[in-house]
Amino acid sequence: MKPLSILVTGGSGTIGSSLLKNLQTLPHLRLTVISHAKTDISSSKSLSQVGGQFDVVIHLAASLRMFEKNHELENTNIKGLLNILQAFCTSSKPIKFIFASSIDAITKNSDYALTKVKGEGIVRQFAQDHPNVTYLNLRIGNVYKKQPEELVSLPSWRRSLLYYELSDKKVFPIRLQDLVLKIRDFALDPKINNKTLDLFEDGISVKNIIKPTPQRLPFGRLILWFWISLGKILNKGDRVIYLSLEK
């Protein structure tokens, strides 16, 4: 039996490293990994050193920083995606391309989200232009390892801001192990193609997953405004800032 050749980008990330551990337990697979430390996907020259032809490409690599400048996000999330497609999906060999999009492609609440929307369109169009390519766009929710409570694992004062000032906001969780199994099954199943799939559980309001009830901060709304402003200035973000920006 000929081994199935799979390329995984973003192999050093949380999802990528867990997926690789799972795939390595399966027979008849030949795995190639692209990680940020060794390969710059925004450089076609860097990708040319990877070489090889693949049956499946699982593209997980992305820039995630919330307040990163749009051109910096474009460099990784758009140019990098185009480079991967051009480097490994332009032969006549049948190939399945799995693109890790995000639930943010639905909310469209940041420049990062807009790169995911654009990325989905690029993948769809590329598959239309190249009959040998099939695709899956996977809109991945908020990943946790054991319990959804991990998504609000923050210092008590920030948990208080979430509970009292942003209690109506929701997270859309998915357990890491479940996500890995879904991606693996999609990669191995030739019948699931040319779709955009949502990979997350029902939304859970912040108020329902923060336990125990935190103390309310005096001037909580003012503190929230200050924290969001500071996050923008320092080009950093956390769960409080992320949820406050949701439309």
Side-chain angles (χ1 to χ4, degrees):
M1 180 178 180
K2 183 181 177 182
L4 188 71
S5 182
I6 298 179
L7 171 67
V8 178
T9 74
S12 59
T14 300
I15 299 173
S17 57
S18 297
L19 177 63
L20 287 171
K21 287 180 182 178
N22 186 288
L23 291 174
Q24 286 166 353
T25 65
L26 302 178
H28 309 300
L29 293 183
R30 186 171 68 248
L31 297 175
T32 302
V33 183
I34 291 178
S35 62
H36 175 71
K38 295 181 179 180
T39 306
D40 179 8
I41 65 171
S42 67
S43 167
S44 55
K45 182 177 179 181
S46 181
L47 285 175
S48 67
Q49 299 174 10
V50 177
Q53 291 190 334
F54 304 98
D55 302 299
V56 180
V57 174
I58 304 174
H59 183 46
L60 303 174
S63 183
L64 300 171
R65 283 178 287 177
M66 190 181 306
F67 296 116
E68 194 163 18
K69 301 299 182 183
N70 191 46
H71 70 273
E72 295 169 338
L73 286 166
E74 289 265 338
N75 199 42
T76 300
N77 294 0
I78 301 303
K79 185 179 179 181
L81 169 61
L82 289 168
N83 285 343
I84 293 288
L85 288 167
Q86 290 295 331
F88 305 113
C89 303
T90 53
S91 70
S92 58
K93 176 185 173 70
I95 188 165
K96 185 171 192 173
F97 190 88
I98 298 177
F99 174 59
S101 184
S102 168
I103 186 176
D104 294 329
I106 300 174
T107 59
K108 302 178 184 177
N109 62 340
S110 65
D111 286 341
Y112 163 75
L114 295 177
T115 65
K116 288 302 184 181
V117 175
K118 187 174 180 179
E120 290 181 7
I122 288 171
V123 172
R124 280 193 297 268
Q125 187 61 52
F126 191 91
Q128 290 177 15
D129 295 340
H130 297 78
N132 62 303
V133 177
T134 57
Y135 77 91
L136 287 176
N137 288 327
L138 305 181
R139 291 179 170 174
I140 298 171
N142 309 120
V143 179
Y144 67 92
K145 292 184 178 179
K146 293 182 179 180
Q147 299 293 332
E149 288 79 359
E150 297 166 20
L151 299 172
V152 290
S153 180
L154 299 168
S156 58
W157 66 273
R158 279 186 272 175
R159 287 164 61 88
S160 177
L161 291 181
L162 282 177
Y163 190 89
Y164 292 105
E165 309 303 335
L166 298 169
S167 60
D168 60 319
K169 302 297 183 178
K170 291 185 177 182
V171 294
F172 293 84
I174 182 166
R175 192 164 66 111
L176 178 60
Q177 183 179 351
D178 295 337
L179 174 61
V180 164
L181 291 176
K182 286 180 181 294
I183 296 175
R184 181 201 68 184
D185 291 346
F186 291 152
L188 301 180
D189 190 339
K191 297 179 181 179
I192 304 177
N193 291 309
N194 301 329
K195 295 181 179 180
T196 297
L197 301 175
D198 294 338
L199 299 185
F200 48 84
E201 302 160 15
D202 292 338
I204 306 174
S205 68
V206 167
K207 200 163 188 174
N208 287 337
I209 60 175
I210 294 181
K211 307 293 181 186
T213 302
Q215 290 186 337
R216 187 161 198 161
L217 296 175
F219 309 108
R221 181 59 57 175
L222 181 61
I223 294 171
L224 175 63
W225 174 85
F226 173 79
W227 190 242
I228 293 169
S229 301
L230 186 63
K232 292 180 179 179
I233 293 169
L234 299 179
N235 195 34
K236 293 184 178 180
D238 63 12
R239 175 61 58 188
V240 174
I241 298 173
Y242 176 85
L243 287 173
S244 70
L245 296 174
E246 282 191 349
K247 295 179 180 178

